[in-house]
Amino acid sequence: MGLKDRFAGRARAGLATMAAVTVVLYVIEAVNMATAGLLTADFGIRPRDPSSLPDIATAPLVHDASSWNHLLANTLPLVVFGFLAFLAGLRQFLTAVALSWISSGIGVWLFGGSAFGPPTVTVGASGVIFGLFGFLLVRGFLNRSWGQVLLAVVLFLAYGSVLLGVLPTVGRGISWQAHLFGLVGGVLAAVFWGEAISPCKGSPR
């Protein structure tokens, strides 16, 4: 299979994957809204609560049940960043998602909320989104791909302002911890794959 055909195949698979992910998220949100936030309460992360550790695996799938705004705000960047990461190959995409997902969840569980305030519950795919963004920004510099560097520059110009979301001053009700640690996870994924492909100057499938 030629390079052009392989790229086209990845593009089709990436679009199908992100379309399926989007449908799943909207179905979950509809159920969450219909049950008045039951999924948020049951599957969101409650910081430093040992019983909530399994919720690290589920929190990114759930969004605020009070309106569609939370999920709507996350949809476009998730689809764009997810699709672009998928073009690098399924294994790189899954690595970036997994490390962003886990790192974001652990960061929220350890440092989310306030030790002196009321209990908080964190949900949403923002941590994964920041992780995919970090992956796309860093990987080209690590594996010396000028095409990926150019893409990183374009993405930074278009979306760079969202990086302010990693600051504690981002705003009330927004988990900067999820953003920051998700970003860290994405950068770690880029470092991993940069190390994996740089010796042979190739591109893994």
Side-chain angles (χ1 to χ4, degrees):
M1 182 183 293
L3 181 61
K4 184 177 180 180
D5 291 336
R6 189 166 63 182
F7 181 83
R10 285 181 179 176
R12 289 192 295 269
L15 285 173
T17 298
M18 297 317 300
V21 168
T22 301
V23 170
V24 169
L25 291 179
Y26 275 81
V27 169
I28 292 173
E29 177 67 356
V31 173
N32 199 24
M33 295 181 72
T35 58
L38 180 64
L39 300 185
T40 298
D42 287 348
F43 299 107
I45 299 172
R46 297 181 299 280
R48 294 168 297 280
D49 180 349
S51 68
S52 189
L53 278 170
D55 299 323
I56 291 173
T58 57
L61 300 173
V62 183
H63 289 77
D64 177 30
S66 63
S67 74
W68 291 96
N69 292 342
H70 187 200
L71 179 55
L72 287 171
N74 280 346
T75 299
L76 182 59
L78 178 62
V79 170
V80 171
F81 298 159
F83 172 73
L84 292 174
F86 200 101
L87 293 179
L90 178 60
R91 288 188 293 173
Q92 292 197 41
F93 169 77
L94 291 178
T95 303
V97 170
L99 288 182
S100 303
W101 194 306
I102 295 170
S103 179
S104 173
I106 291 174
V108 169
W109 190 86
L110 288 173
F111 304 108
S114 170
F116 306 102
T120 59
V121 177
T122 299
V123 293
S126 298
V128 176
I129 292 170
F130 271 74
L132 291 171
F133 189 39
F135 173 76
L136 293 169
L137 288 180
V138 172
R139 61 174 181 163
F141 295 96
L142 296 176
N143 60 35
R144 299 177 178 84
S145 168
W146 289 109
Q148 291 178 358
V149 169
L150 178 60
L151 175 62
V153 171
V154 172
L155 288 175
F156 182 79
L157 292 175
Y159 291 99
S161 61
V162 305
L163 293 175
L164 295 175
V166 304
L167 300 176
T169 56
V170 63
R172 188 173 182 178
I174 299 175
S175 177
W176 63 269
Q177 297 93 337
H179 298 171
L180 175 60
F181 286 94
L183 183 69
V184 169
V187 171
L188 289 176
V191 170
F192 172 81
W193 280 108
E195 292 293 329
I197 69 176
S198 58
C200 59
K201 305 297 183 183
S203 178
R205 293 182 181 180

